[in-house]
Amino acid sequence: MQRLLNHIGGGYRASVSGECFEKLNPATGAPLCQVEIALEPEVEAAIAAAREGQRAWAALTGAERGRVLMRAVALLRARNDELARLEVLDTGKPLQEAIAVDVASGADCLEYFAGMAATLRGDQYPLRNAFAYTRREPLGICVGIGAWNYPIQIALWKSAPALACGNAMIFKPSEMTPNTAAKLAEIYLEAGVPAGVFQVLQGDGRTGRLLSTHPAVAKVSVTGSVPTGKRVMAAAADTLKRVTMELGGKSALIVFDDADIEQAVTAALLANFYTQGEICTNGTRVFVHEAVHDRFVQRVVERAGRLKLGDPLDMATQVGALISRDHAAKVLGYIDKGKAEGAECVLGGGRPDDAALAAGNFVLPTVFTGCTDDMTIVKEEIFGPVMSVLTFSGEEEVVARANATPFGLAGGVFTRDIARGHRVAGQLDAGVCWINNYNITPIEMPFGGTKESGIGSENSHAAIEHYTRIKSVYVELGKIADPYA
Ligand code: TXE
């Protein structure tokens, strides 16, 4: 079986301990590869290589860095389908999604920041007999810690702005999805990014912890669960590292009685069943105005019931396998809780009974109606294909209920009333809101959560702030005002 090594200093290196774990295919349960775990010696080697690589990388002009990164964009696009297949083997998501979105959106992100590299600049401040200017400087060594739902996209959302700004990045993919980040390291090298500037350390929480406590690391950007985010932030506090946290959510999708119901149904399907529901921004609390509830539910059930679940490598498949056996068991546990707490399961509600899928981590698209705010399925992040439908009658009421959660990642509002759309979006306690759409994350738009869903924004100009520091330089043009004269 293939053994995946850490990618350090421009190549694959065997680890000192040789400790490894087995990565399974979520759709079949079959072993995919052995993965070596990076521990102290590998972390130290990566830090040393990053120091050296970053010096050379930061010495280039932004335009020069951008040119190199553009070559990586071309390589990513040329290898789109091959990388998408690898992503499907790791994640269990449908190939049609991985081909259309995962690698392509990552490449778009890299293209955006490669273009921006040449535009980085400081400001100038006129003063009395003096002036000051600012330099926008890279932070040095940044660490990216990834989740398993969008592995290569996450690796690119973090590394693209980091590298464009002249930093080095050590990236630790989720132990569930080790493969595409390693390919990205190869692609960056082939494009001409110096050795040490983008490295991949494989491993679990131990590797992540070693990286997020290392004194040479200036910044840690994590995508993962809320508990992990809190642990990393605490670990990073000791050396006052900067942090960006992209964590979980339990977002509200609000459908008013004047909405285009068919559009709202499409959005609700995207917000709950795309990538088997394993998306942090998902609108899993679907608040539907009581006047349109029955029509909405009828169409959701009709359309969700037609979604094709099956082998993720089949281009016709629309719902794939969940990431792991444990995770599928957790999602099924939530479904059981929903039933036990009195919600009505109107679609799905278990595993498919197709014997060909028995070895994979498949869960049927599931819809609950009659949900109330205090139910476990309405309060906790499930991270699977489970939609909870709630009813409401008034705007103020629904905004208050939508905000009654410790999470603050995203929200959606469907209405034909322009003023109400903006008013509700303005009142939602969330980092990202969509009016008459859901889960669309163009690279030009800042992305990130508030409350326990996160800190800082990825993408857009906002990411540049997170991967650079400002240095002020004061320039005297006259004589020093001397208090001792
Ligand atoms: O996340 P973890 P997992 C949510 C979702 C899911 C849950 C668990 O609810 O069910 O998180 O997913 C690394 N120091 N999201 O297990 O455990 C770890 O190795 C440093 C939301 O993947 O948080 C992995 O690389 N790093 C999310 C990464 O952190 C540590 C997408 C995330 O792992 C660490 C996926 C430590 N102490 C899951 N402990 C989203 N926001 O999109 C773990 N890690």
Side-chain angles (χ1 to χ4, degrees):
M1 196 190 311
Q2 187 217 348
R3 195 175 174 96
L4 184 59
L5 306 181
N6 295 294
H7 201 281
I8 301 174
Y12 289 104
R13 309 261 180 273
S15 67
V16 172
S17 75
E19 204 181 314
C20 64
F21 62 90
E22 197 169 61
K23 159 67 192 157
L24 306 179
N25 180 335
T28 62
L32 261 184
C33 57
Q34 297 278 339
V35 186
E36 289 210 348
I37 298 177
L39 296 169
E40 275 98 342
E42 291 71 43
V43 168
E44 290 306 331
I47 294 280
R51 271 203 186 100
E52 204 173 311
Q54 195 258 334
R55 262 196 298 274
W57 184 238
L60 297 180
T61 65
E64 287 167 338
R65 285 197 300 274
R67 226 167 279 143
V68 173
L69 296 178
M70 281 297 187
R71 287 202 287 271
V73 173
L75 291 169
L76 280 166
R77 289 190 176 141
R79 292 173 63 178
N80 184 75
D81 290 12
E82 166 212 337
L83 292 165
R85 269 172 197 283
L86 202 54
E87 200 74 313
V88 170
L89 294 176
D90 265 3
T91 60
K93 69 170 63 191
L95 183 60
Q96 58 166 252
E97 287 184 17
I99 282 188
V101 174
D102 292 56
V103 188
S105 64
D108 290 352
C109 168
L110 188 57
E111 182 176 57
Y112 177 86
F113 286 107
M116 202 179 272
T119 72
L120 299 177
R121 60 182 172 74
D123 289 315
Q124 191 264 11
Y125 302 85
L127 302 168
R128 185 177 306 282
N129 287 329
F131 70 95
Y133 63 92
T134 54
R135 292 164 50 88
R136 191 169 278 284
E137 298 181 340
L139 301 173
I141 303 175
C142 302
V143 162
I145 297 179
W148 40 257
N149 55 345
Y150 278 84
I152 195 164
Q153 190 201 64
I154 291 171
L156 281 156
W157 278 19
K158 297 191 190 306
S159 63
L163 268 53
C165 294
N167 299 286
M169 172 159 277
I170 302 175
F171 187 79
K172 192 202 85 62
S174 165
E175 52 273 47
M176 307 281 188
T177 51
N179 279 296
T180 47
K183 291 288 173 213
L184 180 60
E186 295 176 17
I187 286 172
Y188 274 134
L189 265 186
E190 190 182 335
V193 172
V197 173
F198 181 81
Q199 305 178 86
V200 175
L201 294 186
Q202 306 285 355
D204 50 25
R206 285 175 297 169
T207 313
R209 192 170 162 73
L210 286 168
L211 288 168
S212 48
T213 49
H214 200 288
V217 170
K219 180 196 169 70
V220 188
S221 175
V222 184
T223 300
S225 63
V226 174
T228 296
K230 290 179 181 177
R231 276 195 283 275
V232 171
M233 199 165 161
D238 204 34
T239 42
L240 281 182
K241 297 185 198 322
R242 293 162 194 241
V243 292
T244 300
M245 299 279 162
E246 209 283 279
L247 310 175
K250 190 74 193 176
S251 302
L253 168 56
I254 303 171
V255 182
F256 282 96
D257 51 354
D258 65 346
D260 179 329
I261 297 299
E262 207 51 35
Q263 290 280 291
V265 168
T266 303
L269 299 183
L270 287 171
N272 283 276
F273 304 128
Y274 204 75
T275 313
Q276 310 81 236
E278 295 170 322
I279 298 183
C280 52
T281 47
N282 271 356
T284 47
R285 291 184 295 147
V286 183
F287 289 95
V288 185
H289 191 278
E290 55 194 9
V292 291
H293 172 268
D294 293 355
R295 189 152 55 101
F296 178 88
V297 168
Q298 185 201 336
R299 289 297 291 148
V300 160
V301 170
E302 275 170 18
R303 291 183 56 191
R306 285 204 300 266
L307 292 176
K308 190 174 172 326
L309 177 143
D311 175 5
L313 284 169
D314 178 347
M315 269 304 269
T317 292
Q318 295 165 310
V319 181
L322 297 185
I323 189 70
S324 68
R325 191 149 280 273
D326 284 355
H327 186 56
K330 186 175 144 193
V331 171
L332 290 165
Y334 275 116
I335 291 174
D336 289 345
K337 253 201 175 118
K339 293 174 184 167
E341 291 179 7
E344 193 187 345
C345 185
V346 293
L347 186 75
R351 292 183 186 277
D353 50 19
D354 182 350
L357 303 178
N361 314 317
F362 293 93
V363 174
L364 291 168
T366 296
V367 178
F368 281 106
T369 58
C371 299
T372 53
D373 296 356
D374 56 347
M375 287 178 177
T376 309
I377 54 168
V378 175
K379 289 196 297 198
E380 295 183 15
E381 183 178 45
I382 300 174
F383 227 65
V386 183
M387 182 194 301
S388 299
V389 181
L390 305 104
T391 57
F392 74 95
S393 53
E395 181 180 316
E396 222 174 291
E397 168 215 335
V398 76
V399 167
R401 289 169 63 197
N403 287 339
T405 164
F407 296 109
L409 191 48
V413 46
F414 271 77
T415 177
R416 286 194 171 95
D417 178 338
I418 292 178
R420 176 156 63 190
H422 291 290
R423 194 165 59 233
V424 170
Q427 289 172 334
L428 288 176
D429 258 346
V432 185
C433 289
W434 293 279
I435 301 174
N436 294 331
N437 206 334
Y438 206 89
N439 262 356
I440 176 154
T441 55
I443 202 68
E444 296 88 343
M445 182 174 97
F447 178 87
T450 184
K451 291 160 76 180
E452 291 199 16
S453 290
I455 295 180
S457 297
E458 301 201 281
N459 302 342
S460 82
H461 285 85
I464 298 295
E465 303 292 331
H466 295 296
Y467 285 101
T468 53
R469 63 182 180 211
I470 297 285
K471 178 184 282 172
S472 295
V473 182
Y474 176 100
V475 184
E476 182 59 60
L477 297 176
K479 289 244 180 294
I480 298 178
D482 185 353
Y484 309 113

